[in-house]
Each structure stands twice: as C-alpha cells, then as structure tokens.
Amino acid sequence: MFGPRKSIDTAGSQGAGHRLAKTLSWPHLIALGVGAIVGTGIYTLTGVGAERAGPAVILAFAIAGAVCACAALAYAEMATMVPAAGSAYTFSYVAMGEAIAWVIGWSLVLEYSLACSTVAVGWSGYLVGWLQSAGLDLPQALLVGPHAGGIINLPAVVVALSIMGLLIAGTRESATLNIILVVIKLVALSLFVIFALPAFQSDNLQPFMPYGFGSTEVMGEKKGVMAAAAIVFFAFYGFDAVATSAEEAKQPGRDLTIGIIGSMAACTIIYMLVAISAIGALPFTALANSPEPLALVLRTLDHPVAAHLIALAAVIALPSVILVMMYGQSRIFFVMARDGLLPRRLAAVSPRTGAPTLITLLTGIVVAAVAGFFRLDEIAELANAGTLVAFVAVAASMMILRRTAPGAARLFRCPQPYLVGTAAILGCLYLFVSLPETTIVRFLIWNLVGLVVYYAYGRRRSALRDPQPVAAAE
C-alpha cells in the first residue's frame, strides 16, 4: 500500500570498509546526549515558553521531556534493530514502506534544517547581547530580519555559513571536543542557578497557569501550558544522536539504555531547575520573548559578570549544536539520494574528505537564508512539527515490527512497547495540534509539495524499483 519496504538485514548491513568501530561506552553516550540536547532551547526558549504559559513553563518542560522520553525508548529499540544511517527515515522505510519513508524524510528536512536556523538565531541573540554588554553596538538593521524592522540577521547567517564551511572541509567533532563543550554548557547553567535561585520569590509564580493548561487562542496567539510545551519541546532535540550511535556502542543493550535515559533525565532536571530559577527571580512578563532570558535575569539581579559569562558560554557552545544538526541533515539528504528518491548525483562524496560536499553546501545556504530572515519562534515551531511527525513514525515502526518481525534481533528492547509507543504517539499528536494553526498549515503545505516531488520524481527512480548503481562512494 505504501510502496516497497527495505528488509531489516539490507538496511542495517555495512560493508567491510564502512563498519564503525565500537568505541563508545555509556559515559560517552550520556555526554553525547547532553551535548546535543542542551542548546538554544534552554538558553533562549525559556522566554518564549514563559510568554505562552507564564510560570507554568516549568510544567511545560516536564511534559515535553516525558513525551520525548517515550519517543527516545522507541528510537533506542529501532536503532539497535536497524543500525543504519537515515534515522526515522530508514526505520519507516523498513516498517511501513517507501511513501511513508519519503514523508518522514521530507519532514526531517524541517527538523534538522530549521533546527540549525533556530540555533543560529538564538546564538545571534546572545552574541549581540554579549557585544552590547562589552560596549560594542552594531547597526540594528544587520541584527534582525525584516519581521523586526531590520534587513538581515547577519550574525546568524555568518555562523551558519561558517559551520557549513567546517563540514565541507571535513571537520568532525571529536569526543574530547564534545565533552569540553558539554562541560562549558553545564558550568554556565549551574552558574545561572547558583546566582538566580537565591533571588527566588514565590509571588513570581502567581498565578501559576495564567492561560490555563490546554492550548487556547488568546488575542490571535496560542497560550497555555501545552502551547508552551509544543515550543519548548525543541529544547529536547538531540537524544536521537544517542539512539543512532548503536553501531559504535561497546554494549548497545546496556550503553544505549543508560545513555538515552541518563541524558534525558539529566537534561529534564537541568531544564526544570533553570526554569524555576528564572521564573522565580523575575516576573514572567519580564522574560517573555527575550532573546537572551538567562543573561537578562542575571543583569537584572545585578550580576553583570555572571551574565557576561553566561552569554559568552552560549556564544562558544551553541555552534556545536548547529554543526550536529547540519551534519545530520546532510546525511538524511545523502541517504535519500543514495536510495534514488533524490537525484543520485547528490550522493557524491568528496574524494579528499569523504563528505557529501554538494549536499552540505545546499543545506548550509538554506539554513543561512532562513536564519537571516525569519523569527525565532516561527522557525522553532515549524521545526517542531517535522520532529513530532518523525517521532510518531518511529514509535509506530517499533510497534509494527514487534508484530511483523518478532524474531528480529533487538539489542535493546523497549519496556512495555505498546504502552510506551502509544504514549509517544498520543503525546506527540497532542503537542502537534497545540502548535499555532499557521504552523500546522505551513507544515501540511510543505508535505503536499513533498508528495508532488515524490510522485513526479522519486517514486519512479527509487533504488528498490530501479536498482542502478550509485557512482559515488559511500
């Protein structure tokens, strides 16, 4: 019904020259997860979430974390079953067929590309705040897009193109660099909690849910705890980086479980502590939509040095998230092109670096353009829509393969798979409908365009239907 499916054995097989060494244990995986998850979400979306839910943004972080935890368990099982490139796209190809895989791959473009753009815009906000606190003012027209009366968000464009250049040059994050960046991020957030928590005032938590629990329309905007959860959900991106490392884990069944659950638990606790400290220190109206809410809190509390260091930590550490997301996007495109659903020449790799140069170049240009001209909340909302659909597909794939391939090897088995899978699907769907209607409409239009591309081009050239050899090396 949904086209041909890849077999589990074929999708997960790796040639002798393409098998990754098993070098990662659970501490590496926790560091990988925390490093990928802790990014612009907690540094910038705390303010956006506070504007939508008030003090109950604390609860919004907990809800988004719980939904992501269910999806993460499904990712872990699928990654150990099908340890191949492509993430949710490949899992859907195996479980449900080519047409569904295309929709998921097309949606992942929103997840990775727009996530890159969101982080770039968030990074720009912290860079500008840091420069201004140092006494350097830049022309406003070059710091924000047309939506805010400017011309272009130049810092966001520059950082996106710089990361693109690093990837084209073949630069990779080493485990040591990742751990260093994780330490910088966690030290900065710990510093924030240490300075902000003593200023906690219970009056700032009243009323706790000024807009209610559900997502409702207030003066043309979605408000409520679930509306905030639908946007701060972005803050939990990255755990799939742990799930897709199954091939490199020394003991996947143990290490993936500890890595995924450990990183998710650590990040949920960190996020709630930061949110409690921020909302307790200042009225939520003061934080609403601030591009650098954490630094704002510290400056207001008369801790200018700490605010300066927090902003500097964001400037240093956030580009690593852009690198991971842009890398992931280029690999999704690469696998889709290798499968024939996109032009196969896009699967060509550089003989010098072994990286898909053309795909990375195209990805970087798109990311920079979106970051330069669009608002942070709009980008994050559309990125969330793509991710939520991908999470639904992974949870569904896990439950389908439990029935259609019960004997397949699973190095990690999700506990209570039907309960966890159903919770992930229902939670993601609820968050999806909690997004603004304009975001949902844009997402549907994006996928309608994608289906036109699939039926006009990809379906007839699929490698499973037309197995032409790919000239490029993998």
Side-chain angles (χ1 to χ4, degrees):
M1 178 179 178
F2 296 117
R5 294 184 299 170
K6 288 184 177 181
S7 71
I8 294 177
D9 294 336
T10 302
S13 61
Q14 299 288 338
H18 304 281
R19 189 175 297 115
L20 298 173
K22 295 183 178 296
T23 58
L24 303 178
S25 56
W26 65 264
H28 299 100
L29 298 184
I30 289 179
L32 178 65
V34 173
I37 295 169
V38 176
T40 194
I42 190 60
Y43 277 106
T44 62
L45 291 182
T46 303
V48 177
E51 189 268 338
R52 299 191 180 197
V57 66
I58 300 164
L59 183 57
F61 273 114
I63 292 171
V67 172
C68 283
C70 291
L73 291 171
Y75 260 92
E77 176 164 323
M78 290 302 302
T80 59
M81 278 187 69
V82 189
S87 185
Y89 160 78
T90 299
F91 303 156
S92 301
Y93 216 146
V94 170
M96 293 180 280
E98 184 176 276
I100 298 295
W102 168 269
V103 171
I104 300 307
W106 196 251
S107 297
L108 286 172
V109 173
L110 294 181
E111 174 185 351
Y112 287 109
S113 293
L114 296 190
C116 284
S117 300
T118 305
V119 178
V121 174
W123 179 85
S124 173
Y126 269 89
L127 176 67
V128 170
W130 185 75
L131 291 175
Q132 288 176 344
S133 67
L136 180 61
D137 291 320
L138 300 176
Q140 188 66 18
L142 299 180
L143 302 180
V144 293
H147 62 85
I151 299 174
I152 187 173
N153 190 329
L154 189 59
V157 172
V158 169
V159 73
L161 294 179
S162 299
I163 295 299
M164 178 197 74
L166 291 174
L167 287 173
I168 289 176
T171 302
R172 298 290 186 271
E173 284 186 304
S174 67
T176 302
L177 176 60
N178 182 60
I179 290 173
I180 291 172
L181 293 176
V182 168
V183 170
I184 292 174
K185 294 174 185 179
L186 295 186
V187 167
L189 293 177
S190 299
L191 187 68
F192 172 79
V193 172
I194 289 170
F195 280 101
L197 196 56
F200 180 90
Q201 296 182 34
S202 59
D203 289 347
N204 289 333
L205 300 184
Q206 302 299 328
F208 187 66
M209 287 193 286
Y211 308 113
F213 181 81
S215 179
T216 56
E217 199 85 20
V218 178
M219 298 181 65
E221 294 184 355
K222 285 287 185 79
K223 301 280 190 177
V225 175
M226 292 309 297
I231 186 73
V232 302
F233 171 84
F234 179 89
F236 291 92
Y237 281 15
F239 68 80
D240 51 332
V242 180
T244 54
S245 66
E247 189 180 341
E248 298 170 88
K250 293 179 179 178
Q251 298 183 44
R254 181 201 69 177
D255 296 342
L256 281 172
T257 305
I258 297 174
I260 290 174
I261 295 175
S263 60
M264 282 297 300
C267 290
T268 301
I269 292 170
I270 291 167
Y271 285 2
M272 292 184 70
L273 276 173
V274 170
I276 289 170
S277 300
I279 297 295
L282 288 183
F284 76 91
T285 51
L287 296 176
N289 288 323
S290 168
E292 41 160 9
L294 306 191
L296 172 65
V297 169
L298 294 179
R299 282 199 296 269
T300 304
L301 296 178
D302 198 26
H303 297 300
V305 175
H308 195 71
L309 292 176
I310 287 281
L312 179 60
V315 170
I316 293 173
L318 288 185
S320 68
V321 183
I322 304 175
L323 189 148
V324 173
M325 293 294 184
M326 195 179 292
Y327 177 88
Q329 176 61 86
S330 65
R331 270 49 185 183
I332 292 291
F333 274 145
F334 175 73
V335 176
M336 293 176 75
R338 191 171 59 188
D339 288 341
L341 302 184
L342 293 175
R344 296 190 185 191
R345 64 179 177 274
L346 294 179
V349 298
S350 165
R352 182 177 63 85
T353 65
T357 303
L358 180 57
I359 281 288
T360 305
L361 178 65
L362 294 174
T363 301
I365 291 173
V366 170
V367 167
V370 173
F373 296 103
F374 291 92
R375 283 168 33 188
L376 174 68
D377 56 346
E378 288 182 344
I379 302 171
E381 285 165 350
L382 201 50
N384 284 357
T387 306
L388 287 166
V389 170
F391 284 6
V392 167
V394 173
S397 296
M398 176 191 69
M399 292 191 290
I400 289 170
L401 291 177
R402 278 292 182 111
R403 291 189 175 276
T404 60
R410 292 170 171 83
L411 297 178
F412 169 77
R413 298 180 70 88
C414 175
Q416 300 296 321
Y418 298 108
L419 177 62
V420 170
T422 301
I425 291 173
L426 293 178
C428 288
L429 290 177
Y430 192 87
L431 289 174
F432 183 87
V433 300
S434 297
L435 290 167
E437 290 181 7
T438 53
T439 299
I440 296 174
V441 170
R442 289 169 183 166
F443 175 77
L444 294 177
I445 292 173
W446 170 258
N447 272 293
L448 285 175
V449 172
L451 287 173
V452 170
V453 174
Y454 171 67
Y455 283 105
Y457 180 90
R459 187 175 184 276
R460 292 181 290 112
R461 292 171 173 81
S462 164
L464 294 186
R465 291 187 173 96
D466 181 25
Q468 300 176 19
V470 179
E474 296 184 5

